[in-house]
């Protein structure tokens, strides 16, 4: 409890005209980035593309926005951290349920409704800006999991491995324009989504800008050898990037992967499916000369070591089935045997992929849960979509958690895992100290 003299002093201080100087980016600029309506104005002035979106303060408004934007949607309360109460909804019934049950909608606290860019690549950028509006990108990271999985739960790689030069140039240009327009001093983190069409053409969208340090700063600093937090502190105190000697985007000497550490095995009954609400409790990093080995190292560090032989169980939603074909073919080439439920099996068999059909729990015994519990499955790839499907497959993911079977709930994560497995089969894992890599 506070003593009376301290309380009296605080009271006098609060009534005084004393002003507190905020170092770095001003509160006004921070609010400009956080307030959806103000930020929309900034983006329009810079001609920066964003997903279709809207604000809603009641059910009627939300349905109007949904009609204009189109399903599926990403919905969330305004001013939230960690994606709390954030969901992807696929139809009107899910949207109405979300508004009624998950969010208390008030006039002063609207919900944000955004177009969900399915199977888009998410990109994180950490950048530095000084008082003279000089901007240097510290790191541009490509996420492994698709947009829609919270950035804190998604693995990411530095440097980017699949994005076109055109998309990378656009992202760099938009980053610098926003940092300057928002009058950032210090660090800024921006998140983008890159959507590919059927012909491979890429379209860049901005998701959000956060004029502050991000959780990815330590990873970028270790991957590049550039102490971003230390430099940002110097910028807050008035130094310029040129004075510090940082004028160009640093190039990491190796491929580095940041992977999230999940708490699922510590909490019986947890569900390992990834989504827009952050659930990770830590992060690890793997570095190597190739993406595959770096990813394999990061999975091992996160407690999700990749198998190099055995049986893989496949069960994906209809949207993911075309992308499952190259993953399944690669697994067979690497010597794995494939198991799948009837729907996924029949789809893959049409493309000449040899898959053994296994029963779901309600279809009889022995079923997939029996096989997992008896140690006959070494890897699970399960990508449910929608609230009901996620619920229906929970028994499967729970069994995999109980018996420490690595489970992947996105196809992009599965593709990365296949590269990691191939690296483990064909390369020798080596260890280097960060000091030897960066200094």
């Amino acid at each position: 409890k506070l003593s009376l003299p301290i309380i009296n002093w605080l009271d006098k201080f609060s009534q005084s005209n004393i002003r507190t100087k905020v170092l770095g980016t001003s509160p006004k600029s921070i609010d400009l980035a956080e307030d959806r309506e103000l930020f929309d104005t900034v983006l329009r002035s810079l001609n920066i593309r964003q997903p279709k979106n809207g604000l809603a303060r009641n059910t009627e408004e939300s349905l109007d926005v949904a009609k204009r934007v189109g399903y599926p949607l990403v919905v969330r309360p305004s001013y939230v951290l960690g994606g709390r109460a954030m969901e992807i909804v696929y139809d009107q019934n899910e949207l109405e349920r979300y508004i009624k049950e998950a969010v208390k909608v008030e006039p002063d606290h609207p919900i944000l409704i955004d177009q969900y860019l399915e199977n888009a690549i998410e990109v994180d950028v950490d950048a530095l800006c000084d008082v003279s509006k000089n901007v240097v990108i510290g790191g541009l990271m490509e996420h492994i999991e698709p947009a829609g999985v919270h950035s804190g739960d998604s693995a990411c790689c530095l440097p980017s491995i699949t994005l076109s030069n055109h998309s990378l140039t656009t992202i760099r240009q938009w980053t610098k324009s926003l940092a300057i327009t928002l009058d950032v001093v210090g660090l800024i983190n921006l998140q983008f989504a890159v959507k590919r069409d059927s012909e491979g053409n890429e379209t860049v969208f901005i998701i959000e800008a956060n004029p502050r340090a991000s959780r990815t700063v330590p990873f970028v600093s270790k991957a590049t050898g550039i102490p971003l937090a230390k430099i940002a502190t110097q910028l807050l105190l008035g130094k310029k990037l040129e004075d510090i000697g940082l004028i160009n985007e640093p190039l990491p000497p190796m491929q580095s992967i940041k992977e999230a550490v999940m708490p699922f095995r510590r909490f019986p009954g947890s569900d390992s499916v990834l989504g827009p609400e952050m659930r990770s409790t830590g992060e690890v990093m793997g570095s190597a000369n190739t993406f595959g080995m770096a990813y394999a190292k990061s999975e091992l560090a996160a407690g999700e070591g990749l198998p190099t032989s055995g049986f893989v169980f496949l069960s994906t939603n209809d949207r993911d089935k075309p992308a499952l074909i190259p993953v399944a073919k690669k697994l067979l080439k690497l010597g794995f045997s494939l198991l799948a439920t009837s729907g996924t099996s029949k789809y893959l068999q049409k493309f000449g992929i040899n898959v053994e059909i296994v029963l779901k729990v309600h279809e009889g015994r022995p079923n997939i849960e029996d096989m997992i519990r008896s140690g006959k499955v070494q890897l699970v790839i399960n990508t449910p979509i929608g609230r009901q499907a996620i619920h229906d497959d929970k028994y499967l993911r729970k069994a995999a958690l109980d018996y420490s079977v690595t489970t992947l709930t996105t196809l992009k994560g599965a593709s990365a895992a296949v590269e990691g497995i191939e690296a483990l089969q064909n390369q020798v894992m080596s260890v280097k100290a960060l000091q030897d890599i960066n200094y």
Side-chain angles (χ1 to χ4, degrees):
K1 295 182 180 179
L2 295 175
S3 64
L4 186 60
I6 294 178
I7 293 175
N8 290 336
W9 181 85
L10 288 172
D11 185 57
K12 290 179 181 179
F13 181 82
S14 65
Q15 295 178 25
S16 69
N17 292 321
I18 297 175
R19 293 177 178 267
T20 302
K21 182 179 180 180
V22 177
L23 296 177
T25 307
S26 70
K28 182 179 179 182
S29 292
I30 294 171
D31 191 55
L32 193 60
E34 292 286 347
D35 186 289
R36 171 57 64 90
E37 292 169 313
L38 295 176
F39 190 55
D40 284 353
T41 302
V42 172
L43 296 180
R44 285 195 296 270
S45 70
L46 297 174
N47 197 29
I48 292 177
R49 187 185 304 105
Q50 64 176 323
K52 297 176 183 178
N53 64 82
L55 290 169
R57 292 175 172 82
N58 53 53
T59 301
E60 185 178 352
E61 286 183 8
S62 69
L63 295 178
D64 288 341
V65 172
K67 185 177 180 180
R68 173 171 57 83
V69 173
Y71 294 96
L73 303 166
V74 179
V75 291
R76 56 177 166 157
S78 55
Y79 292 91
V80 296
L81 290 175
R84 183 63 182 159
M86 190 173 177
E87 285 189 25
I88 298 170
V89 300
Y90 291 87
D91 55 42
Q92 182 173 322
N93 290 334
E94 288 191 6
L95 178 60
E96 291 177 339
R97 188 268 316 157
Y98 176 85
I99 295 170
K100 181 179 179 181
E101 298 177 5
V103 178
K104 183 179 180 181
V105 181
E106 297 178 354
D108 295 333
H109 301 283
I111 62 169
L112 308 181
I113 301 176
D114 293 90
Q115 173 190 10
Y116 174 46
L117 303 172
E118 287 189 275
N119 293 317
I121 300 168
E122 189 164 341
V123 178
D124 250 297
V125 178
D126 285 322
L128 293 157
C129 188
D130 64 23
V131 291
S132 296
K133 298 186 182 298
N134 299 304
V135 181
V136 170
I137 291 174
L140 190 158
M141 296 150 276
E142 178 180 340
H143 286 219
I144 308 301
E145 281 73 26
V149 173
H150 193 279
S151 59
D153 287 353
S154 177
C156 68
C157 61
L158 177 65
S160 165
I161 57 168
T162 70
L163 295 174
S164 68
N165 288 329
H166 180 266
S167 292
L168 294 173
T169 298
T170 300
I171 289 169
R172 290 185 171 103
Q173 290 174 344
W174 287 0
T175 294
K176 293 178 180 181
S177 296
L178 277 166
I180 292 170
T181 302
L182 294 173
D183 202 17
V184 170
V185 178
L187 278 160
I188 182 172
N189 170 264
L190 303 100
Q191 294 174 17
F192 301 88
V194 180
K195 181 74 173 174
R196 286 198 182 106
D197 63 20
S198 57
E199 298 179 353
N201 300 311
E202 296 178 353
T203 304
V204 180
F205 299 82
I206 188 166
I207 300 175
E208 62 182 8
N210 302 298
R212 54 168 171 77
S214 165
R215 68 177 63 84
T216 50
V217 165
F219 165 67
V220 173
S221 298
K222 292 173 184 176
T224 62
I226 304 298
L228 297 186
K230 179 179 179 180
I231 293 172
T233 303
Q234 293 174 308
L235 299 182
L236 299 185
L237 297 174
K239 280 196 173 184
K240 299 178 183 178
L241 287 163
E242 187 177 7
D243 300 332
I244 297 170
L246 184 63
I247 56 175
N248 295 313
E249 180 180 342
L251 298 176
M254 302 180 76
Q255 180 70 64
S256 291
I257 306 288
K258 181 216 78 173
E259 179 59 290
V261 177
M262 298 298 180
F264 304 135
R265 290 199 175 97
R266 296 180 181 273
F267 299 97
S270 295
D271 192 349
S272 59
V273 71
L274 299 178
E277 187 168 322
M278 181 176 166
R279 303 168 74 189
S280 65
T281 53
E283 293 175 348
V284 294
M285 172 179 166
S287 295
N289 291 324
T290 65
F291 172 85
M293 183 54 73
Y295 187 81
K297 284 184 174 182
S298 70
E299 290 301 297
L300 181 63
E304 297 290 341
L306 299 172
T308 55
S309 62
F311 286 82
V312 180
F313 173 73
L314 309 172
S315 178
T316 64
N317 65 76
D318 290 341
R319 287 182 171 93
D320 282 345
K321 281 182 171 57
L324 180 62
I325 294 171
V327 172
K329 287 183 176 179
K330 191 66 174 288
L331 285 168
L332 286 174
K333 185 178 179 181
L334 293 173
F336 286 85
S337 298
L338 304 183
L339 306 169
T341 51
S342 58
T344 302
S345 293
K346 290 175 182 177
Y347 181 86
L348 293 175
Q349 287 168 356
K350 288 191 298 184
F351 296 89
I353 298 172
N354 185 26
V355 188
E356 180 183 339
I357 297 178
V358 62
L359 300 176
K360 296 181 181 179
V361 169
H362 68 271
E363 293 176 334
R365 308 191 79 164
N367 54 54
I368 182 55
E369 186 174 1
D370 295 326
M371 297 186 73
I372 290 173
R373 296 186 184 279
S374 62
K376 294 181 180 179
V377 177
Q378 283 65 51
L379 181 67
V380 170
I381 298 174
N382 173 235
T383 65
I385 193 170
R387 190 178 180 87
Q388 187 60 46
I390 290 173
H391 177 270
D392 291 346
D393 288 350
K394 187 175 180 179
Y395 74 89
L396 164 70
R397 296 185 297 274
K398 183 179 182 302
L401 281 173
D402 290 344
Y403 288 83
S404 299
V405 178
T406 296
T407 302
L408 305 165
T409 61
T410 70
L411 252 295
K412 290 189 176 179
S415 298
V418 169
E419 290 194 47
I421 291 169
E422 184 176 28
L424 290 174
Q425 288 184 350
N426 298 296
Q427 301 174 29
V428 177
M429 184 180 293
S430 61
V431 179
K432 290 184 179 180
L434 284 174
Q435 291 86 342
D436 295 335
I437 296 172
N438 292 320
Y439 302 104

